[in-house]
Amino acid sequence: MGHVLALGKRELTAYFLSPVGYVVGFLFIGLYNVFFFFGFMRTTDANEAIAGGTSAVMTFAILAIPFLTMGLLADEKRSGTIEMLMTAPVADWEVVLGKYVGSVIFVLVMAAPSLVQVLAVKLYGMPEWGPVWSGYVGLVLLVFFLVSMGLFFSSISKSALVAVMTSFVVFIVLLIIGIVVPQSPPAIEASNVFSNAAHYLFALLKYASISEHYANFSWGMVNSRDVVYFISGTVFFLFLSTLAVESRKWK
Amino acid sequence: MISVKNLTKYYADNLALDRVSFEVEAGDIVGFLGPNGAGKSTTMKIITCFLPPSAGRAKVAEYDIIDSPMEVRRRIGYMPENVPLYTEMRVREYLSFRAKIKDVPRKERTARIEQVMSRCWLTHVQRQTIGTLSKGYRQRVGLADAMVSDPEILILDEPTIGLDPNQVRQVRELVKELGQDHTVLVSTHILPEVEMICDRVIIINNGRIAMQDSLASLRKGSSKHVEYYLEVKGPADEVDRVLRTVEGITELSAHPVHHGGDDVAGFTFKAAREGGAAEAVAAKMVTSGWSVRELRRRERTLEDVFVEVVGRELPVSA
Ligand SMILES: Nc1ncnc2c1ncn2[C@@H]1O[C@H](COP(=O)(O)OP(=O)(O)OP(=O)(O)O)[C@@H](O)[C@H]1O
Ligand SMILES: [Mg+2]
């Protein structure tokens, strides 16, 4: 665990020292606060104002995370520092987990100022607390999941540029499949086997969609089904990243 | 301490190492020599568990690099070629991070860091960002990093490249000093450097070990015949004729003289190390009335050996 903490701390400080870290950080904080403010002006409902703020944080987290994770492993490979890292007595999974922890903490620190929004709203009207906290649980789980994916794309990319673009495409696809895929497949005049297969495929696409799971949290529902989706997805991508780091040994 | 057997490495279809075998004894400073692309860095990356071999085995302090890589890494301080570092970190912060991931006990950490910084002349730049350091200073950070966990074995890939002459000398002295209580494998292009600091030399060429020997036995050379150089004040053709009458001389040839008048002639020849041929030559010159300006034995240098086994000369560098 000592290694993971040391690696995580290094990654976290690197964000505060690198231009990408603070530029993305400041843009992120600035933009979600602006959006919250406009929403706040337009509504008198406390919960609606807070939900608007949380969804602004989510939207900009999706935009910021690819930039924050792109270099995690790709830059180490490009600059050669990976050689220093992988010849020290640290395991591949410790490197992956350390980088992951550092990155997640940075994103959460950037998102933390949004709690001030909750306080601001409280001055004008009492919100119902359930949806507020479930919204934040969803946000944290979303950050866990997105950072693990960003880390994975960084682990398989030779350059940060490739990593950031891959992350964007995948994030957007996972967001919109929930919207474009209809609730059930269109009725097709065909064999049962085919319609069954289509049915499962649609169910699978629905299940994979981020928005499908995230939405429940903002209505105040914390379903185990949604928690499992984010946590298992996170574990899955951390595992794949470890495999990708290990893969240098198979060549 | 390091035992390498039939190490083979393919990069895709490109054979970089071909059945490389060598041993490094505990306490030795071994020079790893070879032209560009010979496979020095590749060998080092495999021994330090960064890259896997395609075939063959390597053991470090009795631990196999495949079966127990963590034990191997714990015992090695490695400085890769070009010294990749986190440029946004400060020197001290970086060394502290490295000490942590190399499991230097918390209580000893500060003392170790102070010690390696002072040994690598870094104390006065400890608060500077690594990215703003000159190449030579970054090199020293890499060296300090290799030493920070006080490993038994140091593997240094071209540690003096890019340093100014003064620093080159200091780093050589440091490596030599470290060699007193460490096992050191150091790669370089600079032949005199090996002669200055190493006990043994391994020459690698085209992915194959071309030669390995101790420096002492290298200097003596295996053949009993050694080369001599003679410079006399006298007519070249007559001197040549007289020299040919001396017994035991072979491969006599004229040699240009750089700082002499027209009447100075130079020659090289080979003769047995023991056997009095050189004394006979000196006597003959004197009795013929020509004064000997120079008569010396040319010891076999590492460069001669290198050119012999590698078959071409190294580009000259500092
Ligand atoms: N990552 C790589 N991918 C493909 N080929 C490589 C790779 N690294 C090295 N090689 C090839 O392997 C061979 C040995 O390279 P290596 O770097 O070990 O040589 P070297 O002795 O360290 O040379 P130098 O003195 O220039 O540092 C070279 O032919 C090189 O082109
Ligand atoms: Mg090299």
Side-chain angles (χ1 to χ4, degrees), chain B residues 77-297:
Chain B
Y78 174 44
M79 179 175 140
E81 139 181 84
N82 305 323
V83 206
L85 300 167
Y86 295 119
T87 46
E88 78 280 354
M89 293 180 96
R90 294 170 195 282
V91 173
R92 194 194 179 93
E93 184 191 12
Y94 178 73
L95 291 174
S96 159
F97 163 68
R98 296 291 294 177
K100 272 186 224 162
I101 65 170
K102 289 181 174 184
D103 298 317
V104 177
R106 180 191 294 270
K107 274 185 233 149
E108 294 163 31
R109 237 177 261 154
T110 313
R112 279 302 305 166
I113 293 166
E114 295 289 344
Q115 193 187 343
V116 295
M117 282 197 306
S118 96
R119 272 191 111 165
C120 299
W121 313 279
L122 286 168
T123 312
H124 61 289
V125 294
Q126 56 176 295
R127 281 182 223 300
Q128 205 169 323
T129 310
I130 291 174
T132 67
L133 292 176
S134 70
K135 181 157 167 44
Y137 272 87
R138 286 187 213 187
Q139 205 92 348
R140 300 182 195 182
V141 176
L143 210 53
D145 171 33
M147 291 158 54
V148 79
S149 61
D150 198 17
E152 300 160 58
I153 302 162
L154 290 169
I155 295 187
L156 312 172
D157 202 349
E158 304 189 23
T160 57
I161 200 166
L163 300 184
D164 70 46
N166 208 19
Q167 288 177 12
V168 167
R169 216 190 58 230
Q170 288 177 334
V171 168
R172 284 176 189 163
E173 273 163 22
L174 177 65
V175 172
K176 212 168 168 168
E177 217 177 288
L178 290 168
Q180 289 167 2
D181 43 10
H182 293 79
T183 305
V184 185
L185 180 63
V186 49
S187 82
T188 175
H189 288 129
I190 306 162
L191 298 166
E193 187 162 293
V194 176
E195 294 186 305
M196 261 178 265
I197 61 181
C198 298
D199 309 315
R200 288 179 61 82
V201 56
I202 297 170
I203 299 180
I204 183 171
N205 186 32
N206 268 329
R208 297 208 185 104
I209 298 291
M211 197 219 67
Q212 51 180 321
D213 206 345
S214 78
L215 252 102
S217 64
L218 254 185
R219 286 211 183 86
K220 274 197 211 127
S222 49
S223 63
K224 291 202 191 76
H225 277 68
V226 280
E227 198 177 61
Y228 288 87
Y229 175 68
L230 170 73
E231 212 176 285
V232 286
K233 213 166 185 152
D237 44 349
E238 275 183 53
V239 177
D240 185 270
R241 218 183 50 240
V242 171
L243 279 173
R244 284 184 194 283
T245 66
V246 181
E247 232 169 273
I249 283 184
T250 55
E251 296 180 39
L252 176 69
S253 64
H255 193 276
V257 179
H258 295 301
H259 307 286
D262 291 339
D263 55 344
V264 178
F267 298 91
T268 61
F269 59 87
K270 283 195 172 166
R273 185 181 286 274
E274 315 294 338
E279 290 87 331
V281 166
K284 274 264 166 70
M285 295 298 110
V286 174
T287 50
S288 310
W290 303 315
S291 48
V292 176
R293 286 171 42 131
E294 194 174 342
L295 176 58
R296 78 185 140 88
R297 207 163 44 213

Side-chain angles (χ1 to χ4, degrees), chain A residues 2-11 13-15 17-18 76 79-92 94 99 248-251, chain B residues 9-10 45 48-54 69-70 73-74 76 78-81 83-86 88-90 93-94 97-98 100-103 142 145:
Chain A
H3 288 166
V4 174
L5 290 182
L7 290 158
K9 186 182 155 205
R10 197 213 78 78
E11 214 56 55
T13 19
Y15 278 124
L17 296 172
S18 77
E76 298 252 5
S79 71
T81 47
I82 187 112
E83 191 169 349
M84 288 289 217
L85 208 50
M86 293 308 181
T87 52
V90 291
D92 296 346
E94 289 177 317
K99 287 185 170 284
R248 74 178 192 285
K249 296 181 192 155
W250 311 334
K251 281 170 202 156
Chain B
K9 176 74 186 175
Y10 283 93
K45 282 177 214 255
T48 53
C49 307
F50 180 63
L51 290 180
S54 308
M70 290 301 154
R73 294 186 201 182
R74 245 184 271 288
I76 294 179
Y78 174 44
M79 179 175 140
E81 139 181 84
V83 206
L85 300 167
Y86 295 119
E88 78 280 354
M89 293 180 96
R90 294 170 195 282
E93 184 191 12
Y94 178 73
F97 163 68
R98 296 291 294 177
K100 272 186 224 162
I101 65 170
K102 289 181 174 184
D103 298 317
D145 171 33

